[in-house]
Amino acid sequence: MRTVLYVTLETLRIAAILLQPAMPSAMAKLLDLLAVPADRRAFAEIEAGPIDGAKRLQPGVALPPPAAIFPRYAEA
């Protein structure tokens, strides 16, 4: 189960980095929730290689409390 969660979070990190040009504020919030430092949010931080690579999320890092990235849709 830990591996599944780690791979899911790593996939979210990569997707957020790739989507930053289209949705900068929302992806910044997501990367904040994943505890990715501001200096590690460039395209160069996406690497293909072993799971324990230096540019990937580090296991065991405490994440901030969850928060909404997008506002809730309320029909008027």
Side-chain angles (χ1 to χ4, degrees):
M1 181 57 108
R2 290 181 184 179
T3 302
V4 171
L5 290 174
Y6 177 83
V7 170
T8 301
L9 292 176
E10 182 63 15
T11 302
L12 283 172
R13 180 188 73 87
I14 292 169
I17 289 172
L18 292 173
L19 288 170
Q20 281 183 107
M23 303 180 345
S25 61
M27 294 306 105
K29 288 179 188 177
L30 178 55
L31 289 166
D32 288 343
L33 289 173
L34 295 174
V36 176
D39 62 336
R40 296 193 51 212
R41 297 181 179 189
F43 286 154
E45 297 298 322
I46 299 172
E47 72 174 19
I51 262 188
D52 59 350
K55 295 183 178 182
R56 300 198 184 254
L57 291 174
Q58 299 304 313
V61 174
L63 299 178
I69 296 172
F70 299 103
R72 180 181 290 239
Y73 175 75
E75 207 170 308

